[in-house]
Amino acid sequence: MGSPAETNLDSLPRVTWKQAMSSGLDTYKRLVHDGLQPVRPPVALTEFERRPVKLFSRAETVSLREVTGRAIDWATAVLVSDAVILDTETTGVDTSTDRVVQIAVIDMSGRQLLDTLIDPGVPIPERATTIHGISDQAVACQPTFAQALPEISDVLGDRDVVVYNSVYDGALLRAEVARVHGDEHAEQWTRSRTWKCAMRVYSWYKAQWSVTREDWIRHKLPGALHGAMGDCQATLELIRTMAAAGEPPEGYGAPVTDSRGNPHGWPTPVE
């Protein structure tokens, strides 16, 4: 956990401790002790032992127990849905120029629906091969993305697609589809299904706040093997772990929401 981004302390009003309490303000330490994470900068200062102490609004906090509970709730629900888990391996990390070299899809029972290498049509950089072990020789006789696209689309159907970092994979696949059928078709292809980001849900489950990003800290996929099928299975195991952590707490209350009305940091479809 970490306190929200700093603000100009000189511009903050000074209040007494009694005024702070009557206004719903409290110190960062006391809020965290109560299981609350401030998600906005301090709004006032008080003085303690002749030192200025920052005060945060209790109305602009998120319950850490609630955050973890929502992740558990999501994991529990997605396990019994018809969603699929997808993962890719690529030539690099630039979603606009890099290419898919492997794609895998499983369902929530762990059943393999798709696992194929893809000929990217460009050389695979050595640094990428070092990570995922896929070489130019390995993909030489494999289908191109254009050839594999009909099967990929059929496997995904209109089901929700769970990805560990859906923003990356969603953008990458949209770029690949655009190379085959153009931007308009790629946009429709992407929006014909909902993309769920397991990495963001896991950041809620861990409930560690980023000071610089003013958001929940993202974590690497536990058990990642840097192979598309292995990472699909690792994502499924992570979802099972979150679901097995227990029932979400009752009476969530009203957490701070974003511009869409979603709880702060809650997963949204790829755009």
Side-chain angles (χ1 to χ4, degrees):
M1 294 179 292
S3 60
E6 296 297 329
T7 190
N8 183 357
L9 298 185
D10 292 337
S11 66
L12 295 178
R14 303 267 176 157
V15 300
T16 66
W17 185 246
K18 183 176 180 180
Q19 290 171 327
M21 292 294 97
S22 64
S23 302
L25 307 182
D26 215 331
T27 67
Y28 183 82
K29 184 176 181 180
R30 281 168 52 92
L31 289 170
V32 171
H33 180 268
D34 290 344
L36 300 174
Q37 173 63 56
V39 293
R40 297 291 184 268
V43 296
L45 293 175
T46 191
E47 190 172 283
F48 179 73
E49 294 183 348
R50 297 184 180 180
R51 292 185 297 106
V53 177
K54 290 174 284 188
L55 296 171
F56 301 84
S57 171
R58 278 186 173 265
E60 294 186 325
T61 61
V62 172
S63 164
L64 295 173
R65 181 171 178 266
E66 178 182 317
V67 170
T68 299
R70 286 185 178 273
I72 294 170
D73 191 27
W74 179 88
T76 302
V78 81
L79 276 179
V80 296
S81 74
D82 68 346
V84 295
I85 298 172
L86 176 147
D87 191 77
T88 62
E89 297 300 332
T90 67
T91 59
V93 297
D94 188 332
T95 58
S96 63
T97 59
D98 282 305
R99 306 295 183 88
V100 173
V101 299
Q102 186 181 37
I103 184 168
V105 181
I106 64 174
D107 63 19
M108 287 299 158
S109 71
R111 181 168 61 99
Q112 176 180 311
L113 304 179
L114 177 67
D115 185 13
T116 184
L117 293 172
I118 300 289
D119 181 354
V122 297
I124 302 174
E126 183 179 349
R127 64 182 180 276
T129 298
T130 299
I131 294 171
H132 50 54
I134 301 171
S135 64
D136 291 332
Q137 292 76 14
V139 300
C141 298
Q142 300 299 322
T144 63
F145 186 85
Q147 292 169 333
L149 181 55
E151 182 181 9
I152 296 170
S153 299
D154 183 60
V155 166
L156 298 183
D158 60 358
R159 296 191 286 188
D160 289 351
V161 184
V162 177
V163 188
Y164 202 83
N165 193 0
S166 64
V167 173
Y168 173 77
D169 288 79
L172 182 80
L173 290 172
R174 181 167 51 202
E176 288 279 26
V177 175
R179 293 186 188 100
V180 179
H181 293 299
D183 291 336
E184 185 176 347
H185 181 93
E187 186 73 14
Q188 293 174 350
W189 187 90
T190 303
R191 290 186 177 275
S192 66
R193 50 194 59 89
T194 300
W195 301 76
K196 305 287 189 178
C197 187
M199 181 172 69
R200 182 169 284 189
V201 175
Y202 188 48
S203 77
W204 276 58
Y205 182 76
K206 297 288 284 186
Q208 297 172 332
W209 188 255
S210 167
V211 174
T212 55
R213 295 180 67 233
E214 292 193 315
D215 198 357
W216 304 102
I217 294 173
R218 306 298 193 264
H219 299 269
K220 292 181 179 180
L221 174 62
L225 301 173
H226 296 299
M229 180 53 66
D231 286 354
C232 280
Q233 296 290 352
T235 300
L236 176 58
E237 185 58 32
L238 175 63
I239 294 171
R240 288 171 173 168
T241 296
M242 291 191 289
E247 293 296 325
E250 296 180 0
Y252 284 143
V256 175
T257 58
D258 60 22
S259 60
R260 298 167 178 265
N262 296 313
H264 192 78
W266 193 238
T268 55
V270 171
E271 296 188 340

